[in-house]
Amino acid sequence: MKRILENIIENNRKWTKEGELASYIPELTRADKDALGICVTTLDGDEFYAGDYKTKFTIQSVSKVITLMLAILDNGKDYVFSKVGMEPTESAFNSIINLETNTLRKPLNPMINAGAITIVSLLSGENSDDKFNRILKFTRKITGNDSLNINEQVYSSEKATGNRNRALAHFMKSLDIIEGDVEEILDVYFKQCSIEVTCTDIARIGAMLANDGVLPWNNERVISREATRLVKTIMVTCGMYDASGKFAVHIGIPAKSGVGGGIMAAVPRRMGIGVVGPALDEKGNSIGGIKVLEELSRELDLSIF
Ligand code: GLN
């Protein structure tokens, strides 16, 4: 396995020259554009790495999977999906127009920003600190990494510049889609996006999902099998934003990307995969990360279809 991963990284290094770092969050331009790394976590808990797998990056939208799981644990799936839809989108992840024009009268799905901000409003907790601490605690549990924390510079940068997310949140407040204090909800959202990880951390989240909700390294169940099925389905249809269809056709693995350059993937009953490559395409997905997953899927026949 290690040899396969090393070959795939070398074959695809050229792609890091394409695309751009996310710059709408200024601090993200400090990422290493040339980095490309992968970690695979099997359902026996074995781990294989290649390339720049030690590169740290902020989790960004991969966190939307984590908060969706937590919201389902807190409220049950029926209540969660009364507040957000489960339909894919052809608009960008931070689209404003889509929120007013879609016929659901709520965010289309929990993987776009409007949906993820709504999900935060559903989480249990006395206040925003309490809510974020629950997210961090759950993230530490499903990565098996007690030292995870936020990158303060990225958090401050996004909080200072996140006016598009503010617009989405205030608009949803005006429609009574979200309840509570808008700035407090956004603060939790900005913090969850700023959790700093490596591809090993996200590979482990993928392995837990691939293993139907049980942590491979200690056999602890953290979420029901039914909930993981739902989450993996939403990852297939919405996880790569408005490129989810193409990704399903070419790669065929439930996955979630983030503008920090990470992609978390869960191959049911086989493995979790974490990749990092901060250079992004115009949809906000890692170019090198997609290429690496494409070759790995072909090589090991990982498509679920
Ligand atoms: N924090 C980012 C934002 O809200 C997350 C988006 C992403 O990773 N696509 O814009």
Side-chain angles (χ1 to χ4, degrees):
M1 176 71 97
K2 188 164 172 51
R3 171 93 38 89
I4 293 174
L5 298 181
E6 278 168 354
N7 282 339
I8 292 177
I9 291 292
E10 286 327 306
N11 293 344
N12 290 287
R13 270 213 185 272
K14 56 181 181 283
W15 293 106
T16 63
K17 303 292 169 226
E18 310 271 320
E20 302 293 338
L21 296 169
S23 58
Y24 74 101
I25 301 171
E27 192 66 23
L28 291 183
T29 58
R30 291 163 57 111
D32 178 6
K33 185 170 181 282
D34 297 330
L36 191 65
I38 185 167
C39 174
V40 164
T41 302
T42 69
L43 301 201
D44 302 325
D46 292 334
E47 286 182 334
F48 303 91
Y49 322 88
D52 306 306
Y53 63 91
K54 289 186 179 157
T55 297
K56 291 186 173 177
F57 56 97
T58 50
I59 192 165
Q60 298 298 339
S61 283
V62 177
S63 68
K64 292 169 179 167
V65 174
I66 300 169
T67 49
L68 173 60
M69 289 190 278
L70 211 47
I72 292 172
L73 285 168
D74 285 351
N75 305 279
K77 70 174 180 2
D78 293 341
Y79 187 70
V80 170
F81 286 97
S82 72
K83 299 288 182 185
V84 297
M86 43 174 83
E87 301 304 334
T89 176
E90 57 166 7
S91 309
F93 64 80
N94 54 6
S95 170
I96 292 180
I97 190 167
N98 175 279
L99 195 54
E100 189 168 26
T101 55
N102 88 64
T103 50
L104 293 183
R105 316 301 298 162
K106 58 190 175 190
L108 277 177
N109 68 66
M111 301 289 116
I112 54 173
N113 289 11
I117 292 166
T118 305
I119 291 287
V120 170
S121 76
L122 304 179
L123 296 177
S124 305
E126 292 291 308
N127 49 42
S128 55
D129 282 347
D130 200 20
K131 279 190 186 191
F132 176 68
N133 285 331
R134 292 189 62 239
I135 297 171
L136 186 60
K137 198 168 159 212
F138 187 62
T139 309
R140 287 175 174 173
K141 182 187 267 288
I142 62 178
T143 56
N145 184 351
D146 272 343
S147 60
L148 286 187
N149 246 314
I150 65 171
N151 176 320
E152 292 287 348
Q153 286 79 23
V154 173
Y155 161 61
S156 310
S157 182
E158 183 159 356
K159 195 173 166 84
T161 58
N163 291 321
R164 203 176 166 95
N165 286 322
R166 282 192 181 87
L168 287 168
H170 282 283
F171 182 64
M172 292 193 289
K173 175 87 180 175
S174 79
L175 294 179
D176 293 325
I177 294 172
I178 56 175
E179 288 165 28
D181 186 279
V182 172
E183 267 310 317
E184 285 190 12
I185 291 167
L186 286 164
D187 191 57
V188 176
Y189 174 75
F190 296 144
K191 279 189 180 147
Q192 77 177 60
C193 290
S194 306
I195 296 174
E196 193 165 60
V197 291
T198 64
C199 48
T200 304
D201 298 313
I202 58 174
R204 290 182 184 171
I205 301 173
M208 178 275 287
L209 288 167
N211 203 26
D212 291 335
V214 175
L215 301 176
W217 53 92
N218 64 9
N219 286 326
E220 182 183 346
R221 174 167 292 287
V222 289
I223 185 164
S224 72
R225 179 169 178 211
E226 185 195 10
T228 61
R229 203 170 99 182
L230 185 160
V231 169
K232 282 179 279 192
T233 312
I234 299 275
M235 285 164 67
V236 169
T237 55
C238 312
M240 305 297 286
Y241 319 116
D242 45 332
S244 298
K246 192 172 171 193
F247 188 88
V249 168
H250 292 297
I251 295 155
I253 305 174
K256 180 76 204 84
S257 62
V259 293
I263 304 177
M264 180 271 283
V267 188
R269 282 170 279 286
R270 290 188 67 177
M271 64 183 73
I273 310 167
V275 291
V276 58
L280 308 179
D281 63 20
E282 69 285 355
K283 309 270 188 192
N285 293 323
S286 167
I287 295 182
I290 289 180
K291 293 289 179 190
V292 164
L293 287 172
E294 189 171 353
E295 191 171 335
L296 187 65
S297 177
R298 208 176 331 119
E299 188 86 17
L300 301 182
D301 192 20
L302 298 180
S303 173
I304 64 171
F305 298 105

